[in-house]
Amino acid sequence: MSPEPLPPVAPEVLAEAVGQLTARLRKKLDAAVAECAGKALAGSGGSVEVRFGEDTLVILRPGPSGAVTEPGQAACSCLLAPRCLHRAAVLGAAPLADADTVPPADPAAPEPSEGTPPPVTAPVTASSVPVTTEEARPSPTPAQVDAAAGLWLAAAEALAAGVTAGGTVVQAELLRAAHSARLAGLPRAEAAALRVVRGLRTARERHRGQRLSDLTAAFRTLLAGAAALASGAAGAEVGTARRAYAEGGSLRVLGLCREPVLSATGYGGVTTHLLGPDGSLYTLSDVRPGGVSRAKGAGTASVALGGAVLDHAGLARGGLLIAGATVSADGRLGAGRGVRATPVRGADWSQEPVAAFFARPVREAVASSLDAAAAAPGDAGPALLGCDVEVLGAADDHLLARVLDGGPLVRLRVAHPHPELAHAENLRRIGGFPGVVLRVLGRPDPDRAATLRPLAVGPVPGASSSLRLPEEWRGHADLGYDRLQGDHFPRPEAGAAPGTPGPAGTDPLADAPLWRVRRLLETGVAGGRRAVAEAARGADRTALGVPLRRAGLAGAAELAEGLAAEADRRPRDSFGRLVDASPDAYARAWLASAVHLDAAERALVTASWS
């Protein structure tokens, strides 16, 4: 029989199972979890079985949602059950279920059916719905403050342990604190904790797509949010358990482009980006199980909104007049029972109000996009950006282009690198026509200097050396779905020599010595407190701060040196014996340096667009 994948397990079920183990069994837990790999088999009645030896059998019976959400759904045949190592190991080997595995419906819509996808990795756009200001948010309740304090302590201990020592026991403590945060009404804090646990698991399993920088950012988000809530300060972000949809009345939206969506959990689909008459951005998504094949097919799937007779390809080049519209805070359109939608004629990118979206100064648009993404970490990526560029040519794994009318030199990188999507092929095709001018719609990369990841391109109005697209494409090509051909580009002039890209220009992010701080922070995430202390002892500590101060980054130098000193601090008890330091001060030093680094890098990225 072929192995069966283990069903997802609710975080609180795993935390309870680990909490019931004795100290002796906890030391054996990680080895037992690794032993479960490939041993799960399908049982009767939809159950999944894992056998340990000849006499011990663990059976998981998922509920209607497909996940193990109650302790009684996991049973073991050994005499120590349910406080046994076998049961905890199987639960620890299973993927984590998300409390919000389905996208919330608006109030008038029916409850999501089974199989609705979890949140996907594609960033969402900025919203037109007013966001509650910090001054208007109430202070956290005492219960929320207590839950946040517990979450801070668990996160600090996980950070001090790092990936190398952040096994199932450490993860379970973090999951227990995350569940307490959920019960206290802190869904955003819970989601941040789950991202950290998943990142720890991925790093320990050494998955191919694992990035230490992502886990570092997840720790920063979790610790910063928990610290703000635990302080009881007014304006601390609590979040909402389900995406709330507000009544938007009558709304007219025009299609901008389609974007393929892929998640790490096997879901795929499409997001269509829309523009309101006032320049506000909206999205309409269709994401379901199916991976890349689903993402490719969803580009022409029907739009499920108020009976509109349109597919996503038609909507991206058309528009909708929506009666009884419901809109979430992140700009997603709801599909409730009272929503009615009528297809309307779309607008070419050269027509208003779409043309005004591309006329915004690029540096102003980038700064607004990056600041909005930083204000809601984990919830939204940078908002869409539109600009006109001249392609200079290919360079390494990207294209060099210059924003027209004296704008900055930018790098165009693939938005979605999957080989079965059209992004990479289209970008290579564009790179073969240096000198072509394009109207580009994409997202600024928050981690790279002056880098844009294009989702769609179109001709620049009035330009002779621009794209020549089919009339049915309505003035733009969706790079994830449409495939550019040679006859879509202007013909090169007779006798013209092929152009070569100029110098890439300075990269303020790469030139700054902030990489030293980033390496120190990531060393702490990978190896824990001891790794930071050893790195500080192994070299002259001044070598960390001197280059930073020479570059005018005295604040970064002081915080990094403080982190190294705190990591190396070993207090003694009243008898003079060395004892382990509390993780609290170390976590605060690490967080201070991480927050400063994030702000400094964001400022440098924004400046690179000047």
Side-chain angles (χ1 to χ4, degrees):
M1 297 177 65
S2 59
E4 184 81 4
L6 289 168
V9 172
E12 61 269 23
V13 175
L14 172 58
E16 180 184 2
V18 175
Q20 292 177 336
L21 297 179
T22 63
R24 181 179 62 86
L25 293 179
R26 288 188 178 196
K27 294 178 181 179
K28 301 179 179 180
L29 182 56
D30 286 335
V33 169
E35 188 182 344
C36 297
K39 296 178 64 174
L41 299 174
S44 59
S47 64
V48 177
E49 300 178 350
V50 179
R51 185 172 293 278
F52 291 83
E54 297 182 358
D55 303 325
T56 304
L57 182 67
V58 177
I59 302 177
L60 302 183
R61 295 185 175 89
S65 65
V68 176
T69 57
E70 299 179 6
Q73 294 173 345
C76 179
S77 63
C78 78
L79 297 178
L80 293 179
R83 298 176 175 84
C84 65
L85 180 64
H86 314 106
R87 178 174 175 270
V90 173
L91 292 174
L96 285 178
D98 198 325
D100 296 315
T101 53
V102 295
D106 59 281
E111 287 298 315
S113 59
E114 183 178 345
T116 310
V120 295
T121 56
V124 295
T125 64
S127 167
S128 64
V129 180
V131 179
T132 305
T133 62
E134 181 173 325
E135 292 78 7
R137 294 178 185 143
S139 300
T141 66
Q144 290 174 333
V145 171
D146 290 343
L151 188 58
W152 164 271
L153 180 59
E157 291 176 345
L159 178 67
V163 172
T164 54
T168 307
V169 174
V170 172
Q171 296 169 24
E173 291 302 317
L174 195 48
L175 292 177
R176 185 188 305 279
H179 184 58
S180 298
R182 178 187 178 190
L183 296 179
L186 300 174
R188 177 164 290 182
E190 179 205 18
L194 294 183
R195 280 194 295 272
V196 168
V197 173
R198 291 191 176 101
L200 286 171
R201 286 186 167 195
T202 303
R204 289 177 63 83
E205 294 166 4
R206 299 181 179 178
H207 283 187
R208 188 175 181 180
Q210 184 267 338
R211 291 188 0 170
L212 191 58
S213 59
D214 293 339
L215 182 55
T216 302
F219 263 113
R220 184 189 70 241
T221 301
L222 172 59
L223 289 168
L229 289 165
S231 70
E237 183 60 56
V238 172
T240 56
R242 297 180 67 85
R243 183 176 293 112
Y245 284 79
E247 295 293 336
S250 179
L251 180 64
R252 183 187 180 97
V253 292
L254 301 174
L256 285 177
C257 73
R258 295 168 293 167
E259 176 186 9
V261 174
L262 285 174
S263 79
T265 53
Y267 286 80
V270 63
T271 290
T272 298
H273 298 276
L274 308 161
L275 186 72
D278 60 349
S280 302
L281 292 169
Y282 301 88
T283 57
L284 188 62
S285 299
D286 178 7
V287 184
R288 300 178 186 177
V292 67
S293 60
R294 177 73 177 81
K296 292 169 63 178
T300 53
S302 298
V303 173
L305 182 67
V309 187
L310 266 182
D311 58 19
H312 280 270
L315 178 57
R317 295 182 166 94
L320 287 176
L321 179 61
I322 308 173
T326 55
V327 187
S328 75
D330 56 16
R332 302 193 188 195
L333 297 176
R337 295 189 184 94
V339 177
R340 296 292 179 268
T342 304
V344 296
R345 181 177 176 81
D348 189 276
W349 279 10
S350 60
Q351 300 172 341
E352 298 296 345
V354 184
F357 180 78
F358 290 91
R360 187 179 182 186
V362 65
R363 188 179 189 281
E364 175 187 321
V366 168
S368 175
S369 174
L370 297 182
D371 288 345
D379 289 349
L384 295 185
L385 166 72
C387 60
D388 296 341
V389 304
E390 177 187 3
V391 176
L392 303 180
D396 298 328
D397 59 346
H398 61 273
L399 303 184
L400 284 178
R402 184 173 296 281
V403 177
L404 297 184
D405 298 327
L409 189 72
V410 299
R411 300 160 180 83
L412 304 181
R413 293 184 180 271
V414 175
H416 296 278
H418 198 287
E420 294 189 40
L421 299 177
H423 288 281
E425 179 183 342
N426 281 329
L427 215 60
R428 283 195 298 269
R429 174 83 61 176
I430 293 172
F433 292 86
V436 67
V437 293
L438 305 172
R439 178 156 283 183
V440 181
L441 180 69
R443 284 194 190 87
D445 191 326
D447 300 322
R448 296 175 183 269
T451 299
L452 185 66
R453 297 189 180 271
L455 302 178
V457 296
V460 174
S464 58
S465 58
S466 193
L467 293 176
R468 303 171 181 176
L469 300 179
E471 184 176 352
E472 60 270 19
W473 285 12
R474 297 288 299 170
H476 73 269
D478 298 331
L479 295 181
Y481 292 102
D482 303 320
R483 295 189 180 271
L484 295 171
Q485 305 297 329
D487 57 356
H488 295 155
F489 293 87
R491 295 181 180 178
E493 297 180 4
T500 57
T506 60
D507 185 341
L509 190 60
D511 295 341
L514 288 172
W515 61 269
R516 299 175 184 274
V517 182
R518 190 183 314 112
R519 184 175 64 181
L520 185 68
L521 295 172
E522 291 181 355
T523 296
V525 170
R529 179 178 191 145
R530 289 185 178 180
V532 175
E534 290 171 2
R537 291 194 211 110
D540 184 2
R541 190 170 294 178
T542 59
L544 176 63
V546 168
L548 292 167
R549 288 188 171 88
R550 286 176 178 171
L553 300 169
E558 182 177 348
L559 292 172
E561 290 172 344
L563 171 60
E566 177 59 35
D568 200 23
R569 187 175 65 85
R570 291 295 302 274
R572 296 178 181 270
D573 61 13
S574 55
F575 297 99
R577 295 171 300 192
L578 289 173
V579 295
D580 290 333
S582 168
D584 180 79
Y586 170 75
R588 293 187 185 279
W590 186 95
L591 178 60
S593 188
V595 170
H596 185 278
L597 174 66
D598 180 61
E601 290 184 332
R602 189 167 67 252
L604 289 174
V605 170
T606 302
S608 70
W609 286 85
S610 299

